[in-house]
Amino acid sequence: DIQMTQSPSTLSASVGDRVAITCRASHSISTWLAWYQQKPGKAPKLLIYKASTLETGVPSRFSGSGSGTEFTLTINSLQADDFATYYCQQYDNYWTFGQGTKVEI
Amino acid sequence: EVQVVESGGGLAQPGRSLRLSCIASGFRFDDYAMHWVRQDPEKGLEWVAGINWNGGSKGYADSVKGRFTISRDNAKNSVFLHMNSLRAEDTALYYCVKDVGGDYVANYFNHWGQGTLVTVSS
């Protein structure tokens, strides 16, 4: 099984900040990585796939990078609507998710 | 608009069974693989089972293999999860999820339902 580890678990930030979330895979997954955003009481929403491709309709302040075992989700100029929990997911070998990073005020 | 709506959750005793249903709309259902993913506060998000576009290929997480069965009815735009021999650790919110492709291969997910809650307790 491929394990996914996110850091930090919680991130405190302010509107306008630039934030970065890291996701590490236990084995190389090339760029078979997606990022999802989840708000309380809602289903996860796809933000980025193939490590760096923005899903249609997702604001350009979101970006993804990385390959192999280390990946980063960056949010430039954090907006109030961005306070949520973010998950990475590998889809190289079945599907596993990171434990989540909560971005809070 | 793509919509995915789950039903069938509820309270079940350990060892008993439940069947979850998911009905989809807004896309050509028989072109896409579908999955079930569950979420609980302790274990986070866990992929449970997946099925390809025509039901000919299926897969399961080790934690449910032999107890859960995924199936689909393309005529009714529906996918099901038959859960047998339920355990307390199966307690979670179960999401029905649309794949971006049709084959049961590594792809990501682009639409999620709102989930149906399964509680396993005596």
Side-chain angles (χ1 to χ4, degrees):
Chain A
D1 288 8
I2 299 176
Q3 310 302 318
M4 306 300 292
T5 304
Q6 287 182 234
S7 60
S9 296
T10 305
L11 191 161
S12 297
S14 301
V15 172
D17 284 354
R18 180 174 184 265
V19 301
I21 299 168
T22 298
C23 177
R24 289 187 173 86
S26 60
H27 300 84
S28 177
I29 57 170
S30 184
T31 55
W32 305 121
L33 184 102
W35 289 97
Y36 299 86
Q37 176 194 66
Q38 187 177 33
K39 296 182 179 178
K42 300 292 187 182
K45 171 190 169 187
L46 176 66
L47 297 177
I48 286 170
Y49 59 94
K50 207 160 183 248
S52 61
T53 303
L54 212 60
E55 171 72 345
T56 302
V58 174
S60 58
R61 63 181 179 272
F62 291 90
S63 63
S65 63
S67 65
T69 61
E70 188 152 337
F71 302 86
T72 302
L73 172 70
T74 302
I75 311 172
N76 285 303
S77 188
L78 198 66
Q79 301 299 300
D81 191 49
D82 302 336
F83 291 96
T85 300
Y86 294 85
Y87 295 93
C88 61
Q89 175 208 36
Q90 68 81 19
Y91 51 99
D92 178 66
N93 184 3
Y94 290 91
W95 299 268
T96 48
F97 295 86
Q99 80 279 16
T101 295
K102 183 177 182 181
V103 177
E104 61 181 23
I105 300 173
Chain B
E1 180 193 0
V2 172
Q3 284 200 316
V4 175
V5 180
E6 306 92 339
S7 61
L11 176 64
Q13 292 181 325
R16 303 297 290 234
S17 300
L18 274 179
R19 187 181 90 149
L20 305 185
S21 300
C22 167
I23 187 160
S25 59
F27 63 99
R28 185 168 171 143
F29 184 73
D30 55 7
D31 275 352
Y32 294 94
M34 298 292 293
H35 304 264
W36 290 94
V37 175
R38 65 187 181 186
Q39 184 174 32
D40 78 31
E42 299 295 323
K43 292 182 287 184
L45 289 163
E46 180 187 21
W47 173 79
V48 172
I51 187 167
N52 77 330
W53 66 277
N54 67 356
S57 183
K58 308 173 187 181
Y60 302 92
D62 287 344
S63 57
V64 307
K65 203 172 290 182
R67 300 188 298 121
F68 289 12
T69 302
I70 189 170
S71 61
R72 66 190 294 159
D73 182 343
N74 285 347
K76 295 181 179 178
N77 283 11
S78 296
V79 61
F80 308 98
L81 187 67
H82 305 256
M83 305 187 295
N84 297 324
S85 303
L86 282 163
R87 304 169 180 167
E89 54 264 37
D90 296 319
T91 294
L93 184 64
Y94 284 72
Y95 292 105
C96 177
V97 183
K98 175 186 170 291
D99 198 299
V100 296
D103 293 321
Y104 183 67
V105 293
N107 265 324
Y108 55 96
F109 308 148
N110 63 349
H111 289 282
W112 299 57
Q114 289 305 302
T116 187
L117 183 62
V118 172
T119 303
V120 182
S121 173
S122 54

